[in-house]
Amino acid sequence: MNNRSASKKVLASALAALTIAASNAALAARDHISIVGSSTVYPFTTVVAERFSRATQFKTPVVESTGTGGGMKLFCQGVGESTADITGASRRIKQSELEMCNGNGVDVVEVQIGYDGIVLANAKTAKPFELSRKDIFLALAKDVPNPDGSETLVPNPYKTWKDVNPTLPAAKIEVLGPPPTSGTRDAFAELAMEGGCKKFDWIAAKKKSDKSAYKAICHNVREDGFYVEAGENDNLIVNKLAANPNALGIFGFSFLDQNADKVQGSLIEGQEPTFESIADNSYPVSRPLFVYVKKAHVDVVPGIKQFLAEFTNDRAWGEEGYLADKGMIPLPTAERQKVANNVRKLNALTNLAAK
């Protein structure tokens, strides 16, 4: 290597070190933890933040409800004072999001905190619904199998629940739900709609032959007014259901649990959404919940390690913990121990197939 090349290499290393030092100095100037992400995970991170600040000398973390997708974009922007330290997610991080994070120098620590069920609820003043995932798919998909029985698709023609299934009421289909940026929407599409979509064998066969076409059929929600995007605010959906007994709303079990005086969950394939049915996987529309932590911020922003220790303590996420009181379904003991050990080691996520 000639002297000029060596000088360039030394200069590049020095600049990189200065950039890291400047970034760390800026982070050190921030005296609180910044948390963004899922509206479903928001109540859980908020209560942990409050307990953490009461039990320690650290400032209360600032928690913002941005939706899972919006939180990932903010979290993965890079490292530094203007970026979030932690994001909540009501689904697992996508490969494209992990690549975006890594491409911006963000090493990600994954923390599965528990489980949640997705409910289709209506006002307690109305009769509860009993639905199958096939009913849900036929009511809400953009395109559905042709009613003439041929293996073709048509724009969704169904206007009432009775049109979908003769055993259901002759009420107009009116479902209030989250937007595409929401992890709840992603999970609902995968667990409820796709669960019904693949009941049609000829569509299920497309998963091997044309995965993108299969996903488009199963996940795309109708846009003709029968599904109404109600934003990321689940409390708003609860209030609208209370005011409109004919509508159904989509949100996490924890919101149903916290608003049991106003709304009731529909039975899905004979299973009522309850703490027990989600914990034992008998309720068919349940999902894992996560928080993701920016590894580079852990030793720089005050309190992140202690916040994670609070979140992964049995008094918080255990079977008798205060998060269970808020409606979160705990992981089994062995899983909690495995996750807590991974968090202590701050192992960065490298392979989505590993879980």
Side-chain angles (χ1 to χ4, degrees):
M1 183 184 294
N2 59 38
N3 288 339
R4 181 175 293 179
S5 297
S7 297
K8 283 184 177 179
K9 191 171 182 180
V10 170
L11 181 60
S13 297
L15 286 171
L18 283 170
T19 300
I20 293 169
S23 176
N24 286 349
L27 278 168
R30 175 146 61 75
D31 61 356
H32 66 271
I33 301 167
S34 172
I35 304 172
V36 295
S38 163
S39 62
T40 300
V41 178
Y42 173 82
F44 305 133
T45 48
T46 298
V47 71
V48 174
E50 290 167 353
R51 299 272 186 139
F52 160 79
S53 65
R54 288 203 300 265
T56 69
Q57 77 277 20
F58 299 106
K59 286 200 171 183
T60 305
V62 174
V63 187
E64 298 176 74
S65 177
T66 63
T68 295
M72 286 294 179
K73 286 180 181 177
L74 293 168
F75 178 76
C76 291
Q77 281 179 346
V79 174
E81 183 183 11
S82 62
T83 66
D85 308 307
I86 296 170
T87 190
S90 53
R91 57 159 171 78
R92 200 174 189 211
I93 191 172
K94 296 176 181 178
Q95 182 63 39
S96 59
E97 292 166 339
L98 182 60
E99 289 170 1
M100 176 171 60
C101 269
N102 292 163
N104 289 329
V106 177
D107 285 333
V108 178
V109 178
E110 181 179 74
V111 189
Q112 185 177 342
I113 57 172
Y115 294 99
D116 185 34
I118 301 174
V119 302
L120 263 169
N122 63 348
K124 290 204 79 169
T125 54
K127 186 178 178 181
F129 269 70
E130 296 187 26
L131 300 166
S132 68
R133 285 174 288 178
K134 185 177 179 181
D135 295 333
I136 295 167
F137 168 69
L138 290 175
L140 297 179
K142 185 174 182 179
D143 298 307
V144 296
N146 197 320
D148 69 9
S150 62
E151 294 185 356
T152 58
L153 295 166
V154 296
N156 196 323
Y158 303 124
K159 294 178 170 54
T160 72
W161 289 101
K162 196 174 184 68
D163 294 338
V164 167
N165 181 337
T167 67
L168 295 174
K172 179 190 172 186
I173 297 167
E174 186 175 359
V175 178
L176 308 172
T181 52
S182 168
T184 298
R185 170 78 167 263
D186 290 336
F188 179 78
E190 180 180 342
L191 298 167
M193 290 188 54
E194 186 178 332
C197 177
K198 63 188 180 185
K199 299 292 184 185
F200 297 91
D201 292 341
W202 64 274
I203 299 179
K206 289 182 180 291
K207 190 169 185 178
K208 288 184 179 179
S209 63
D210 191 342
K211 194 170 182 179
S212 61
Y214 167 80
K215 186 174 179 181
I217 296 167
C218 295
H219 288 214
N220 282 352
V221 176
R222 65 194 302 180
E223 299 170 340
D224 53 0
F226 293 88
Y227 179 92
V228 180
E229 289 184 9
E232 296 281 6
N233 188 340
D234 293 332
N235 285 312
L236 180 63
I237 297 178
V238 169
N239 292 334
K240 286 187 174 182
L241 294 182
N244 182 1
N246 295 318
L248 289 170
I250 300 167
F251 43 79
F253 169 75
S254 58
F255 279 89
L256 173 68
D257 194 49
Q258 292 162 30
N259 294 278
D261 59 326
K262 298 177 185 174
V263 291
Q264 60 193 344
S266 304
L267 273 70
I268 298 182
E269 285 156 19
Q271 294 293 328
E272 186 181 352
T274 64
F275 191 95
E276 293 75 20
S277 67
I278 296 166
D280 67 15
N281 288 319
S282 58
Y283 181 70
V285 191
S286 58
R287 45 133 181 226
L289 301 177
F290 299 89
V291 295
Y292 290 93
V293 185
K294 197 168 289 179
K295 186 172 180 176
H297 286 199
V298 171
D299 289 322
V300 185
V301 175
I304 293 182
K305 274 187 178 177
Q306 292 83 351
F307 178 79
L308 292 175
E310 176 65 26
F311 219 133
T312 56
N313 190 296
D314 275 357
R315 66 174 169 265
W317 73 345
E319 291 172 10
E320 304 297 327
Y322 57 78
L323 293 177
D325 292 338
K326 288 284 183 180
M328 192 180 79
I329 315 301
L331 297 169
T333 302
E335 277 192 59
R336 291 201 306 274
Q337 291 172 347
K338 184 178 178 182
V339 172
N341 185 52
N342 188 60
V343 171
R344 280 192 295 272
K345 292 180 179 178
L346 293 175
N347 292 326
L349 182 63
T350 57
N351 180 14
L352 289 186
K355 192 167 184 174

